[in-house]
């Protein structure tokens, strides 16, 4: 019998945990929020192009926003907010129900106004974990539902806070985002949740009609790609190979496409945002 799934990649791998390694619970006391209709282009999940388990839940590329639009920064009560992910759906169409509980300090005008605005808004939320890894609540296919509530408390031992419960279905349990987060205070590195530390991106040049040359992989890191360094047809969303120095690859421009890359430390920790170059087919 013909194997109809012979082209599928087996991603089941060992998942080990070293003694002494810390896995910190919780999220950092802030979130990033933007109206969904202010996003011009979404990053993408690797889907069938994932090479290992770590690739599966990580968005590739950046959020591209409308001109002059920024992510709003919302401060949260420390140690009160969280992310939960549970399976939903039936056989063959199971997904995840991703829920972020955001506890905003106070019930005064700004906090109450935020709850009122989000009550009927369609937003996307980025929430950094304690380790600084950005998790995404929201996606192109499903809208986030916000359930706001507020509680003034009764006495000095109570919390006076506004709670925003954000719920959305997704094919991945709260995906990770490594790209740029544009805020009014500056660009935040999605890999670390730190502002102002994005490194110079690698540069690309096209010589003639058949060779793409990659230069300036940051001296402290490695320029990573997927695939192998060989002549290949370039498809939309395709990527190249990995190199620790300047490198070239011959490309067959059968359909044009996008080359993607990022800079990372030797342990794979991303230290710059994803960059892309659109390559078009030469004139006939």
């Amino acid at each position: 019998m013909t194997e109809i799934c012979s082209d599928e990649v087996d991603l089941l791998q060992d998942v080990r945990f070293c003694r002494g390694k810390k896995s910190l619970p919780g999220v950092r006391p802030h979130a990033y929020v933007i109206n969904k209709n202010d996003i011009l282009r979404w990053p993408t999940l690797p889907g069938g192009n994932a090479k290992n388990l770590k690739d599966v839940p990580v968005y590739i590329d950046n959020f591209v926003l409308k001109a002059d639009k920024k992510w709003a920064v919302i401060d949260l009560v420390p140690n009160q907010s969280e992310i939960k992910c549970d399976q939903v759906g039936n056989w063959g169409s199971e997904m995840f129900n991703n829920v972020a509980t955001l506890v905003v300090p106070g019930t005064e005008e700004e906090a109450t106004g935020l709850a009122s605005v989000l009550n009927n808004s369609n937003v996307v939320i980025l929430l950094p974990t304690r380790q600084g890894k950005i998790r995404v609540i929201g996606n192109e296919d499903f809208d986030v539902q916000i359930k706001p509530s507020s509680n003034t408390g009764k006495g000095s031992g109570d919390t006076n806070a506004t709670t925003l419960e954000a719920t959305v279905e997704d094919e991945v349990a709260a995906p990770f985002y490594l790209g740029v987060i544009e805020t009014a205070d500056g660009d935040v590195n999605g890999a670390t949740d730190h502002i102002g530390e994005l490194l110079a991106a690698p540069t690309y040049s096209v010589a003639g009609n058949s060779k793409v040359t990659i230069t300036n992989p940051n001296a402290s890191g490695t320029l990573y790609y997927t695939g192998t360094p060989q002549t290949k047809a370039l498809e939309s969303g395709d990527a190249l190979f990995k190199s620790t120095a300047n490198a070239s690859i011959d490309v067959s421009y059968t359909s044009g496409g996008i080359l993607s890359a990022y800079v990372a430390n030797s342990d794979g920790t991303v230290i710059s945002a994803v960059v892309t170059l659109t390559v078009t087919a030469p004139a006939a």
Side-chain angles (χ1 to χ4, degrees):
M1 179 181 293
T2 302
E3 176 56 67
I4 62 173
C5 299
S6 58
D7 59 339
E8 290 189 356
V9 177
D10 184 0
L11 294 176
L12 187 59
Q13 301 167 344
D14 293 339
V15 177
R16 309 301 296 270
F17 191 83
C18 299
R19 288 179 64 90
K21 181 179 179 181
K22 293 182 179 179
S23 180
L24 300 176
V27 298
R28 292 183 175 178
H30 59 271
Y32 307 96
V33 181
I34 197 166
N35 286 313
K36 190 174 182 179
N37 60 10
D38 287 335
I39 299 173
L40 290 178
R41 190 177 75 234
W42 283 70
T44 58
L45 292 169
N49 293 322
K51 305 299 182 183
N52 53 58
L53 288 177
K54 292 178 66 174
D55 291 343
V56 173
V58 181
Y59 272 118
I60 300 169
D61 214 336
N62 296 309
F63 282 99
V64 177
L65 310 181
K66 290 181 179 178
D68 301 325
K69 295 298 182 180
K70 306 289 184 183
W71 293 85
V73 181
I74 309 298
D75 286 333
L76 306 175
V77 177
N79 304 319
Q80 294 295 313
S81 301
E82 64 179 354
I83 300 171
K84 290 184 177 181
C85 306
D86 295 298
Q87 186 196 67
V88 293
N90 298 311
W91 187 91
S93 59
E94 289 94 346
M95 300 181 66
F96 288 92
N97 190 52
N98 297 332
V99 180
T101 301
L102 312 180
V103 182
V104 181
T107 56
E108 286 72 34
E109 291 88 346
E110 282 189 331
T112 300
L114 177 65
S116 301
V117 168
L118 294 183
N119 193 37
N120 290 289
S121 295
N122 187 8
V123 299
V124 176
I125 299 170
L126 305 181
L127 192 57
T129 65
R130 194 87 66 181
Q131 296 96 326
K133 297 185 178 183
I134 301 295
R135 308 295 294 269
V136 182
I137 304 297
N139 56 80
E140 284 191 275
D141 298 324
F142 295 92
D143 295 337
V144 173
Q145 302 295 317
I146 302 286
K147 182 179 179 181
S149 62
S150 62
N151 190 338
T152 61
K154 298 176 181 178
S156 59
D158 297 330
T159 297
N160 175 26
T162 299
T163 300
L164 308 170
E165 185 178 271
T167 304
V168 68
E169 293 181 353
D170 203 320
E171 63 178 293
V172 172
F176 293 80
Y177 176 61
L178 305 178
V180 177
I181 305 170
E182 300 177 67
T183 74
D185 294 329
D187 291 345
V188 176
N189 185 343
T192 61
D193 190 40
H194 291 162
I195 196 168
E197 65 174 25
L198 298 180
L199 302 181
T203 58
Y204 304 81
S205 63
V206 178
N209 290 327
S210 63
K211 188 181 292 294
V212 175
T213 300
I214 298 92
T215 59
N216 189 33
N218 191 277
S220 63
T222 300
L223 192 57
Y224 280 85
Y225 306 87
T226 58
T228 55
Q230 61 187 10
T231 300
K232 59 184 292 186
L234 182 64
E235 303 296 337
S236 179
D238 207 358
L240 300 178
F241 58 102
K242 86 174 184 179
S243 172
T244 57
N246 296 350
S248 298
I249 184 172
D250 291 325
V251 176
S252 174
Y253 296 89
T254 56
S255 62
I258 298 175
L259 309 182
S260 299
Y262 60 88
V263 177
N265 289 317
S266 59
D267 64 357
T269 304
V270 176
I271 54 177
S272 83
V274 176
V275 294
T276 61
L277 168 73
T278 300
V279 178
T280 57

